[in-house]
Amino acid sequence: MKPRTPISIYIIVTIGLVIMAFEMFSQDGNYFTSPYFWVLLLITTILLLIMNSIGDLVENENYRRLSEEERQRYLQKKNTPYLQKLWNSAFKKQSQTEEKDILIDHGFDGITELDNSLPRWWIGLFWFGCIFCAVYMVAFAFTDYAHPESEYESETKTMMASIADFEKNAPVINLENAKYSADNITEGEQLFKTNCVTCHAEGGKGGIGPNLTDEYWINHSEKNLFKNVFWMLENGSPNNPTMRPFIKEGTITGRDAEKIAAYVYHINQETAPITEAKGGAAPQGEKIQWENTDN
Ligand code: HEC
């Protein structure tokens, strides 16, 4: 008669499996606060305890029927700690006579082989692998667990929500409070590439829209260059609807405009103009002397 696996091992393994299942099936990963999780653990533990008591009864009954010698052997096995038994089973060496019993002789190739029984820890791992595989397949097929697409979607959603939140709470930037900052140039350049390059061409050298790098301007509602660009982005051109009111129509925010205007200021004031000789568009409008304020 073999001693049984201790109830504590069953309970630990079950808790592990329940956590694994919840980890895969729970949508938000917040199952530690869910009553289902705790009730399920409680029920399985109670079932295991009942199973253990029945096992005790059966074991007692069988024990009564053992001979004195068998009882001694049984008690000795039972008193070895479980983990030590596992360890022993992993590294057990057979005696000569035992080896004889489990020897398989292929016969035809002269190779002999020991038909060892697999160690308990190995079998345990094997079954754990099987159960994990089944749970994983079900989780993958029927829930969002480990799905790259749904993970991507949910992350995009959170990101968009946080952007919307930021836009809602961040101070609105308008013509009055927009400020030039050199830190905005790089981002402004990216935004310029997305929104403006089709008409004003690479680096603002001009195409359908005027050259933004020279000193000649058609529109100059503001005395300050940075503000003038912002004004254009807010109102569009009063003479030519091709230059749209980007902010008013909602294509870009005031925050974007502040960055784009910083970039246009940079290519106009801080770098050499792309003249006709260098492939830029011919000057349009009149030569403007911009007021040099802090902005
Ligand atoms: C669909 C083409 C088009 C796009 C896109 C466009 N613009 Fe323009 N833009 C024009 C035209 C055309 C004018 C000339 C308007 C006029 O004649 O008054 C202009 C004028 C301007 C002016 C005033 C130039 C001047 O000499 O008066 C600025 C500044 C300007 N655009 C900036 C931008 C920025 C920044 C963007 C990107 C957010 C942009 N534009 C996108 C076509 C465009």
Side-chain angles (χ1 to χ4, degrees):
M1 186 167 106
K2 275 187 163 177
R4 287 172 306 134
T5 306
I7 180 72
S8 54
I9 300 290
Y10 279 114
I11 292 180
I12 290 171
V13 169
T14 310
I15 291 176
L17 290 176
V18 170
I19 289 179
M20 184 180 95
F22 269 84
E23 189 63 43
M24 291 180 165
F25 291 111
S26 113
Q27 300 297 341
D28 52 1
N30 221 356
Y31 53 88
F32 274 118
T33 49
S34 151
Y36 293 112
F37 176 74
W38 295 107
V39 169
L40 186 65
L41 271 192
L42 189 73
I43 292 176
T44 42
T45 313
I46 292 174
L47 285 177
L48 285 174
L49 289 172
I50 293 174
M51 187 187 89
N52 193 50
S53 313
I54 297 175
D56 277 345
L57 289 178
V58 175
E59 193 174 289
N60 285 343
E61 188 56 33
N62 288 340
Y63 184 78
R64 278 203 308 124
R65 300 193 188 142
L66 294 180
S67 67
E68 194 49 43
E69 193 193 341
E70 283 171 328
R71 282 184 185 182
Q72 287 308 323
R73 239 184 305 148
Y74 170 74
L75 284 180
Q76 193 197 352
K77 271 199 219 158
K78 200 178 168 154
N79 288 336
T80 326
Y82 180 75
L83 289 177
Q84 194 181 336
K85 255 186 286 178
L86 270 192
W87 178 265
N88 292 345
S89 92
F91 300 101
K92 196 170 87 183
K93 286 234 162 55
Q94 285 84 8
S95 68
Q96 290 288 340
T97 43
E98 272 174 331
E99 274 196 3
K100 217 174 203 162
D101 289 341
I102 57 171
L103 203 68
I104 306 173
D105 191 346
H106 293 187
F108 56 90
D109 57 7
I111 294 175
T112 50
E113 193 182 347
L114 286 180
D115 186 18
N116 281 309
S117 55
L118 291 162
R120 301 268 282 288
W121 61 266
W122 195 99
I123 295 174
L125 266 184
F126 174 75
W127 285 118
F128 175 78
C130 292
I131 295 170
F132 184 84
C133 176
V135 176
Y136 189 94
M137 299 259 272
V138 172
F140 187 81
F142 301 111
T143 75
D144 284 346
Y145 183 76
H147 257 295
E149 257 172 49
S150 59
E151 276 174 21
Y152 176 77
E153 265 168 32
S154 88
E155 276 187 28
T156 315
K157 228 187 253 169
T158 353
M159 203 180 69
M160 296 312 265
S162 79
I163 292 176
D165 203 43
F166 173 80
E167 287 299 343
K168 213 168 59 194
N169 298 321
V172 175
I173 295 199
N174 54 30
L175 192 59
E176 270 74 58
N177 62 14
K179 260 195 169 1
Y180 169 78
S181 156
D183 295 342
N184 285 335
I185 295 173
T186 326
E187 265 186 84
E189 182 174 2
Q190 291 310 318
L191 289 162
F192 189 87
K193 281 186 178 149
T194 326
N195 296 290
C196 324
V197 154
T198 37
C199 293
H200 291 281
E202 195 63 35
K205 67 181 180 185
I208 300 168
N211 191 332
L212 298 178
T213 68
D214 62 14
E215 297 172 292
Y216 294 84
W217 291 79
I218 307 169
N219 303 276
H220 38 87
S221 321
E222 296 284 322
K223 294 195 172 60
N224 167 284
L225 172 58
F226 172 82
K227 294 264 169 161
N228 194 52
V229 176
F230 198 105
W231 190 95
M232 287 299 289
L233 289 172
E234 181 152 302
N235 302 293
S237 165
N239 332 303
N240 186 345
T242 318
M243 178 63 203
R244 309 191 311 267
F246 283 84
I247 301 178
K248 279 190 183 153
E249 70 180 19
T251 313
I252 59 174
T253 61
R255 195 174 312 282
D256 294 335
E258 189 179 44
K259 290 171 183 160
I260 298 174
Y263 173 68
V264 175
Y265 179 90
H266 172 70
I267 58 176
N268 189 278
Q269 298 287 298
E270 298 171 349
T271 50
I274 307 177
T275 56
E276 263 185 293
K278 293 191 211 155
Q284 283 172 276
E286 40 186 313
K287 195 168 172 173
I288 302 292
Q289 193 62 46
W290 296 108
E291 256 178 33
N292 202 5
T293 51
D294 280 345
N295 285 328

